[in-house]
Amino acid sequence: PLYDNGSGAVSGNASAGQAVVPDHFELVGRNDPSGNDTSSYIGDADLFQRLSFRVNVNEKPLDVAKYSRPLFVIASRGIKSSVVSADANTSFVFDENIYPNLTLYAVVFTDHGFEAVQGSVAVKHEPYRLKLDVTTDKETYTPSSTAQVRIKVRGAENESVGGVKVAVSVADNALAPLNAFSDADPVDSVYGYTDGDIQEQVSTHQAAKSMYSGAEGGGGGGDASLFDGARKNFKDQAAFVIVETDANGDATADVRLPDNITTWRIQAIGLSKDLRAGTTILTRPATKTIAIDAVVPPMLYVGDQAQIKLRPIAQQLGSNTDVEYVVNAPTLGLNRQSVHGKGHASVYVPLSVTAAMVGTHTVQVALIADGHQDAMEFPVQIADKIYTKTIWEQADAVAGFKLPETLAPES
């Protein structure tokens, strides 16, 4: 509260020497169909809807005979308009010049400076939301197979929407715990909040106020064809393609899956020419009846005593089932070395790194069990010093730009 300092200058309804309760200014919307007022956050509105607002003082309409006529300022990425009203009210059309949102400021000048109140309006998102239905030709895939992704796009009234650009991303769902994906609604991005860009309010009578508001080994395992078709393409991103829907709202993308035994996350994001948008996500597994899982160090140094860890991936594999593993890396002294295990138990193959091994090598591993087989291939780099340097390369994504082959998605 403010107090009379003895000069007799007081504000509000109080006598000299009494506490003065400051006037309470408020901006309210007059857009509720029921006729009720709404408070400072005015809410959502349709594009081209006429909006009406009023300045209240102590819950009553501003009396311009007692106070100044209010200055109304519309801000949306800068000041769009300003007007001094003859009374407590203002009205305007929410058009494309001030969407997706605006901030309305009402400024009332008083004896001690000014009072500024504000309210916000955002465009309704639902009319701009597209419905994307994504299906695939199979429920389950094998590594290196081709998945057909089918997209159907409908509008808010369930009508088919043609000419929609749909970005289809197929990525390894194992990246999800690393926060590698975004489930953000594209409508909220396209029509998201934009600042009014009014940074300060300054008066000669008051300071500026900021507005920022266990195993046994052997040798010579497997036949000559064991490593034919070994899985070696383990990219995390299977595809990123853009397709366009036809007049029926349909589009198709054929995606060649890498060799991963994993669950693929398929996300489709659609954007139409009239700026409607939508997204959807589904997952599809890529698996085999039985597969080998290997932990092969990608980088080793002279003097390391390393291990290659091998185990099977299979839903149905008896604990006493014989499993044969074969490791082939001749340049590392592993010539089709055979190791035997049981069931799901892991086995380990030792590897001693010498100075003669400096360079790049290929390690092949294979599994034979229960009438099935699988093989994988990995590159291994061996350096003579533990000190290495990382080289970063940067390129502009101009027309014709392509990622290096080792990083580019299959599709």
Side-chain angles (χ1 to χ4, degrees):
L2 303 176
Y3 290 89
D4 177 14
N5 61 8
S7 65
V10 296
S11 176
N13 298 319
S15 302
Q18 294 181 334
V20 178
V21 178
D23 291 327
H24 174 66
F25 293 80
E26 182 183 22
L27 181 66
V28 297
R30 308 302 310 281
N31 308 301
D32 190 324
S34 66
N36 297 324
D37 294 339
T38 55
S39 59
S40 58
Y41 181 79
I42 307 304
D44 298 336
D46 292 314
L47 191 60
F48 301 114
Q49 178 180 339
R50 175 162 289 278
L51 305 175
S52 300
F53 303 89
R54 185 182 68 213
V55 179
N56 279 359
V57 182
N58 302 329
E59 300 183 353
K60 295 181 179 180
L62 173 74
D63 183 358
V64 296
K66 180 178 179 181
Y67 302 93
S68 71
R69 294 161 58 192
L71 168 66
F72 290 102
V73 178
I74 297 176
S76 179
R77 303 176 301 281
I79 294 177
K80 295 300 184 182
S81 66
S82 59
V83 62
V84 176
S85 178
D87 53 27
N89 303 291
T90 190
S91 179
F92 56 88
V93 174
F94 186 31
D95 61 24
E96 66 272 15
N97 294 317
I98 52 178
Y99 92 120
N101 64 274
L102 67 90
T103 302
L104 177 66
Y105 297 86
V107 183
V108 179
F109 294 92
T110 66
D111 293 338
H112 58 275
F114 66 84
E115 294 288 342
V117 290
Q118 67 188 68
S120 300
V121 179
V123 70
K124 291 180 179 178
H125 289 185
E126 288 309 313
Y128 301 95
R129 203 176 304 280
L130 293 175
K131 303 172 185 176
L132 275 68
D133 295 323
V134 175
T135 58
T136 56
D137 58 330
K138 298 179 183 178
E139 291 294 321
T140 302
Y141 295 90
T142 57
S144 305
S145 61
T146 298
Q148 186 177 83
V149 181
R150 302 162 181 161
I151 304 104
K152 178 74 174 182
V153 180
R154 295 183 175 89
E157 303 298 325
N158 213 37
E159 75 282 8
S160 298
V161 182
V164 178
K165 298 284 188 179
V166 182
V168 181
S169 169
V170 183
D172 192 336
N173 202 46
L175 298 176
L178 302 178
N179 297 320
F181 305 124
S182 172
D183 298 336
D185 188 332
V187 175
D188 294 338
S189 299
V190 174
Y191 298 97
Y193 175 80
T194 59
D195 197 283
D197 285 341
I198 294 181
Q199 304 301 322
E200 290 182 322
Q201 300 175 358
V202 179
S203 168
T204 56
H205 290 75
Q206 58 187 159
K209 297 185 291 185
S210 173
M211 294 302 294
Y212 290 113
S213 11
E216 47 183 69
D223 57 40
S225 63
L226 182 60
F227 296 106
D228 290 348
R231 296 186 291 117
K232 58 184 177 181
N233 177 14
F234 303 110
K235 294 177 181 177
D236 296 324
Q237 184 78 35
F240 185 85
V241 295
I242 296 178
V243 296
E244 184 171 343
T245 59
D246 59 21
N248 295 320
D250 298 320
T252 301
D254 291 328
V255 177
R256 175 68 181 270
L257 299 177
D259 295 328
N260 310 47
I261 300 293
T262 189
T263 296
W264 293 102
R265 178 185 188 270
I266 304 173
Q267 180 174 18
I269 302 175
L271 182 65
S272 65
K273 294 179 180 178
D274 57 356
L275 296 184
R276 289 182 288 171
T279 184
T280 191
I281 298 170
L282 79 159
T283 57
R284 288 292 182 265
T287 186
K288 300 181 72 173
T289 303
I290 189 169
I292 186 172
D293 184 29
V295 179
V296 179
M299 187 74 186
L300 292 170
Y301 301 94
V302 173
D304 283 349
Q305 298 296 317
Q307 288 182 324
I308 297 174
K309 179 182 178 181
L310 306 170
R311 71 180 183 92
I313 300 176
Q315 291 187 352
Q316 296 181 349
L317 185 65
S319 59
N320 292 319
T321 302
D322 291 324
V323 180
E324 180 184 1
Y325 301 92
V326 180
V327 180
N328 188 48
T331 56
L332 296 177
L334 300 172
N335 294 287
R336 303 180 72 85
Q337 181 171 330
S338 178
V339 182
H340 296 270
K342 292 285 188 179
H344 286 90
S346 299
V347 301
Y348 299 85
V349 177
L351 174 62
S352 297
V353 182
T354 66
M357 297 177 179
V358 173
T360 302
H361 306 265
T362 297
V363 176
Q364 296 175 314
V365 296
L367 169 151
I368 305 171
D370 222 11
H372 301 279
Q373 67 181 46
D374 185 39
M376 300 173 74
E377 184 177 303
F378 301 90
V380 174
Q381 180 74 31
I382 295 179
D384 59 352
K385 294 181 179 179
I386 198 170
Y387 302 106
T388 63
K389 70 175 181 178
T390 300
I391 299 176
W392 292 89
E393 295 184 2
Q394 180 174 317
D396 293 331
V398 297
F401 170 80
K402 293 183 178 180
L403 287 171
E405 179 58 31
T406 55
L407 299 177
E410 290 299 286
S411 303

